Amino acid sequence: MFAPDVRLEGFTHDDWQRLLNLFRPVRPPVATQDQPRGRGLVLALHDGGKLRKLLHSHVGRLRLDDLERHWPLTAQQLAGRHDASWAISLERGALEDIMEGLGARTKRHDDLTQQMLTLLSLIQGQLVRGRIDLWPHRLEGLPMPNEAMIQSTLDTVCPAGKTMVLGLFDGDELWTSMALRRGDQGVDLILGPDQIRRELGLLSGDFRRDHRHLARFVADYAGPLSLGCFAEHQTFRALEVDPTPGAWALAVAVRDVVLHPVPAAMAVPLGLDVGRAALSALREVAARLDPAGVLTPTLSAIRDVTLGQREVREVLGFNPFEVLRKLLSRER
């Protein structure tokens, strides 16, 4: 996925902080909670059927006396007893076996993607054997990706020589952005918002217009765009954990999220009609061949296309937006 000589440009400390906060799990508002929510992680280390160590991320080491007579407990039971939102029950030696397996199976030419897939496979093996127990099971039932699936997805979303960009705005400010350029050996450029802000100058405060300047700069600096996603950062954050079916498609339909360009092959996974993807491509061609804007009224008249009704599961085997929601929404 990443080229050996990948470059990171245009990130400050605040930019990294904003990017990480964008994917931080969201706790439901207190008013919507049916019961008090657990906090933190509880970790239990056991060996030979005996509890050896018990830690909580908020309070540190816990006493073993209360649990020893009830052991063994599942990770879910551990979380319930210690008011935690996450729990891990770990058999001594399991992590060492994972790292030994990773060292034995990793080849010299393996890239980061191959190494991560190997690591996930080893962790899954320990979960199946019962040496590791995790709770909650937010990704239960999700098929394990393989290298061919990842490669074909990248070829669909961002072919070699193309760039994809995420741009999030806060009024008249570019709140954060990240552009990934894919070369022949993988992603060779990760471009942040710091340099882009200086080039954009003053913005109008309407991201539906301002995103064009961002897209144009990224295309000139990194290369032609294959996929662009633009929104207000609060809207994007809310959509990440919105359980409403079709929330993303509706946001695109009312232009709370702007996708431009969007590959035709990505229309179904994104929950959009193929006609919208084709129209996006047509607009891009028209902008180059028709600088006078003769075609603009015609394109504007047909821009409201219907949303697709096909299930994402039919394409990928799972819904990527549902996976994102489960990862970022706190159920406890």
Side-chain angles (χ1 to χ4, degrees):
M1 180 176 178
F2 292 99
D5 57 347
V6 60
R7 304 196 324 268
L8 284 85
E9 300 179 4
F11 286 98
T12 65
H13 174 271
D14 290 340
D15 293 329
W16 281 117
Q17 192 66 42
R18 286 182 174 184
L19 195 62
L20 292 175
N21 287 340
L22 188 63
F23 299 100
R24 185 174 60 183
V26 177
R27 185 175 296 275
V30 176
T32 65
Q33 296 182 10
D34 298 328
Q35 57 185 1
R37 303 280 174 165
R39 290 182 177 273
L41 165 71
V42 61
L43 171 65
L45 179 66
H46 60 92
D47 181 31
K50 293 185 178 181
L51 183 62
R52 301 297 184 181
K53 189 174 293 187
L54 192 62
L55 301 172
H56 195 290
S57 61
H58 284 194
V59 298
R61 181 170 291 191
L62 301 174
R63 293 176 58 88
L64 304 182
D65 303 349
D66 297 336
L67 286 186
E68 282 182 331
R69 62 177 179 271
H70 299 292
W71 192 260
L73 296 174
T74 66
Q76 183 175 359
Q77 291 171 330
L78 280 173
R81 282 176 173 266
H82 296 283
D83 193 29
S85 58
W86 296 79
I88 302 176
S89 177
L90 184 66
E91 182 180 327
R92 178 175 289 177
L95 293 183
E96 288 83 351
D97 289 347
I98 289 174
M99 299 314 297
E100 288 291 337
L102 180 62
R105 293 172 56 178
T106 300
K107 305 296 189 298
R108 188 179 185 88
H109 59 272
D110 286 352
D111 61 12
L112 179 61
T113 302
Q114 292 168 318
Q115 293 179 36
M116 290 301 299
L117 290 175
T118 300
L119 179 61
L120 289 175
S121 175
L122 292 168
I123 293 174
Q124 186 183 47
Q126 296 295 332
L127 288 168
V128 171
R129 295 184 184 94
R131 301 187 68 193
I132 299 177
D133 184 19
L134 302 177
W135 188 85
H137 310 291
R138 292 182 178 170
L139 300 183
E140 188 174 13
L142 183 69
M144 176 69 72
N146 54 46
E147 188 177 357
M149 180 188 298
I150 294 176
Q151 188 67 30
S152 62
T153 301
L154 285 175
D155 289 340
T156 298
V157 178
C158 187
K162 296 284 189 176
T163 305
M164 52 185 174
V165 60
L166 169 68
L168 301 180
F169 296 81
D170 184 10
D172 59 356
E173 176 195 6
L174 176 60
W175 190 76
T176 193
S177 68
M178 184 170 65
L180 303 177
R181 182 181 68 193
R182 190 173 179 219
D184 294 333
Q185 294 183 293
V187 175
D188 59 9
L189 175 64
I190 303 176
L191 180 64
D194 188 51
Q195 182 174 350
I196 298 175
R197 290 191 188 100
R198 295 194 295 268
E199 298 294 334
L200 290 182
L202 296 176
L203 299 176
S204 69
D206 182 359
F207 86 92
R208 296 170 184 84
R209 289 187 290 176
D210 295 333
H211 82 275
R212 300 169 188 167
H213 306 297
L214 171 59
R216 187 178 301 114
F217 173 82
V218 172
D220 291 341
Y221 186 89
L225 296 184
S226 64
L227 174 64
C229 178
F230 310 95
E232 291 279 352
H233 88 274
Q234 294 288 4
T235 300
F236 188 88
R237 196 75 173 103
L239 285 170
E240 286 179 325
V241 295
D242 191 338
T244 307
W248 283 88
L250 179 60
V252 173
V254 299
R255 290 179 62 80
D256 283 341
V257 174
V258 173
L259 295 178
H260 179 74
V262 53
M266 282 293 295
V268 176
L270 288 171
L272 305 176
D273 189 90
V274 176
R276 182 179 292 277
L279 181 58
S280 176
L282 181 59
R283 285 176 180 163
E284 186 174 358
V285 173
R288 296 180 180 180
L289 301 182
D290 181 36
V294 175
L295 295 178
T296 300
T298 303
L299 294 177
S300 298
I302 62 173
R303 68 184 177 183
D304 295 325
V305 296
T306 59
L307 299 177
Q309 300 297 323
R310 285 160 290 192
E311 292 290 335
V312 178
R313 191 178 301 275
E314 297 177 9
V315 181
L316 298 180
F318 63 93
N319 187 331
F321 296 110
E322 181 63 15
V323 170
L324 183 65
R325 186 190 71 80
K326 287 183 177 180
L327 284 174
L328 299 184
S329 60
R330 290 286 178 86
E331 298 178 358
R332 279 185 56 85

